[in-house]
Amino acid sequence: MKRKVVLQQQKSFKYKWKRKILSLMFVVGVCFGTLLFVQTRYNDVVELVSFQKQLVSQSQVKEIPKIAFLFIARNRMPLEMVWDAFFRGGDSKFSIFVHPRPGFLFNKATTRSTYFLDRQVNDSIQVDWGEASMIEAERILLRHALSDPLNDRFVFLSDSCIPLYNFSYTYDYIMSTSTSFVDSFADTKEGRYNPKMHPVIPVHNWRKGSQWGVLTRKHAKVVVEDEIVLPMFRKYCKKKPLPEFWRDQHIPADTSKIHNCIPDEHYVQTLLAQKGLEEELTRRSLTHTSWDISNSKAPDRRGWHPVTYKYSDATPMLIKFIKEIDNIYYETEYRREWCSSKGKPSTCFLFARKFTRPAALRLLNLSALGELRGQNATSR
């Protein structure tokens, strides 16, 4: 009897130990499985976070604001090789739009620079100097450039402009401020403002300046959406006709009283003044132009005209002189505009005109423009 009891106790003892061992193994298995699960989930989380960082990084790269370079050209871009060197340092920070004569195409037969291939707008118009068609062309360029949401600044340039610095410096200079760069000053000279514009455009909002400005996206939209100031310019802002065309229209006895209004020298400046946006402007141009008085003997042909730099004029000394300009004086407002960038004194101009093709190529060959070339750029 006692032996049976002992055997039963031994069996019970062994059974308990087996249960404990199985329980322990189960617990260890659960712990190991849990640890393995946690490790797997941790790896998944790490991979997910890494993937999200990559997406954010890619998104940030894609959303870098761009500068839209808007060229008004007759046909070809005569200084394309200078700009080709400039754009090579631009990465994905720029886009290009060209307004040539209607029907002109930038293809391999008309341009040697890949940056200008197919960059013409498809709805260009015939542009005549001193006519409202010039500001119509500017609006066409802006409308096309605004279709890209990443274009944040809009630079107007002529086909005779050259860059004075490399792309990196130019980009940082323009993007370092939230303002537009618009050469704008009160125009007190009689003969330009037509009183018939009043009251739509009062004389106290009448402004003058260079058409070669840089607009923020906000101000570019203001120009494109304008339906009030532009019609007044079409109707009342007209250049004074040359003497040989006087027979085609009625001319008063005193020709000095004929209004001589060049639309592109007034439109953007006056429009932004009308909208109360002058506090959002740096009121100077970034494009240097040298002006010279015409020496014509005929009084009706005299006036200020931009100097055209030819091959013999294109020297390192000329570029050095332009780069060292650090202030601009506006006589009509008794205002001196000291140039600055990022809160520090700086050069006033990033571009210059008017240069012939031989002059620009000479400057490029002499390295007078500095190191324009950089890494290949992909943006167009």
Side-chain angles (χ1 to χ4, degrees), residues 96-149:
I96 300 171
F97 299 87
V98 186
H99 184 289
R101 63 172 171 79
F104 186 86
L105 301 177
F106 283 91
N107 52 38
K108 291 183 178 180
T110 58
T111 180
R112 295 172 58 189
S113 171
T114 57
Y115 297 114
F116 289 99
L117 282 174
D118 300 320
R119 298 318 302 159
Q120 73 283 342
V121 295
N122 56 13
D123 53 350
S124 62
I125 60 174
Q126 181 61 44
V127 175
D128 296 311
W129 178 83
E131 302 290 343
S133 56
M134 180 66 79
I135 55 180
E136 297 276 13
E138 293 176 349
R139 283 160 54 95
I140 290 171
L141 284 167
L142 286 175
R143 187 170 63 251
H144 281 274
L146 283 168
S147 65
D148 183 346

Side-chain angles (χ1 to χ4, degrees), residues 7-170:
L7 289 172
Q8 287 177 352
Q9 288 177 346
Q10 288 177 346
K11 287 181 179 180
S12 176
F13 180 76
K14 289 180 179 179
Y15 179 72
K16 287 180 180 180
W17 269 105
K18 285 182 179 180
R19 283 197 307 172
K20 288 181 179 181
I21 291 173
L22 289 173
S23 298
L24 181 61
M25 291 176 65
F26 176 76
V27 171
V28 171
V30 170
C31 290
F32 180 77
T34 302
L35 181 63
L36 184 62
F37 175 77
V38 170
Q39 181 65 35
T40 302
R41 297 303 298 167
Y42 174 77
N43 291 337
D44 291 342
V45 170
V46 169
E47 290 179 2
L48 179 61
V49 170
S50 177
F51 179 68
Q52 288 177 335
K53 286 183 177 180
Q54 289 178 1
L55 288 179
V56 171
S57 177
Q58 292 174 0
S59 175
Q60 289 175 342
V61 170
K62 291 180 181 178
E63 294 181 359
I64 292 176
K66 297 192 296 186
I67 296 177
F69 291 85
L70 313 179
F71 293 91
I72 296 180
R74 295 173 181 83
N75 294 306
R76 301 179 182 227
M77 288 293 298
L79 312 185
E80 62 183 3
M81 299 316 294
V82 177
W83 286 103
D84 186 274
F86 173 79
F87 287 127
R88 289 182 201 176
D91 297 326
S92 300
K93 298 179 180 179
F94 69 91
S95 56
I96 300 171
F97 299 87
V98 186
H99 184 289
R101 63 172 171 79
F104 186 86
L105 301 177
F106 283 91
N107 52 38
K108 291 183 178 180
T110 58
T111 180
R112 295 172 58 189
S113 171
T114 57
Y115 297 114
F116 289 99
L117 282 174
D118 300 320
R119 298 318 302 159
Q120 73 283 342
V121 295
N122 56 13
D123 53 350
S124 62
I125 60 174
Q126 181 61 44
V127 175
D128 296 311
W129 178 83
E131 302 290 343
S133 56
M134 180 66 79
I135 55 180
E136 297 276 13
E138 293 176 349
R139 283 160 54 95
I140 290 171
L141 284 167
L142 286 175
R143 187 170 63 251
H144 281 274
L146 283 168
S147 65
D148 183 346
L150 294 184
N151 285 333
D152 197 61
R153 297 292 191 278
F154 305 82
V155 182
F156 286 113
L157 297 160
S158 78
D159 56 8
S160 65
C161 285
I162 62 169
L164 297 174
Y165 298 92
N166 62 30
F167 184 90
S168 178
Y169 181 87
T170 302

Side-chain angles (χ1 to χ4, degrees), residues 14 25 49 53 84 90 99 102 107-108 121 204 228-229 231 244 280 284 315 327 330 332 335 340 356 374 376:
K14 289 180 179 179
M25 291 176 65
V49 170
K53 286 183 177 180
D84 186 274
H99 184 289
N107 52 38
K108 291 183 178 180
V121 295
H204 64 262
I228 297 175
V229 174
E244 57 263 35
E280 299 177 10
R284 60 182 174 87
T315 64
N327 72 90
Y330 294 91
T332 62
R335 170 172 63 94
S340 64
T356 63
N376 288 335

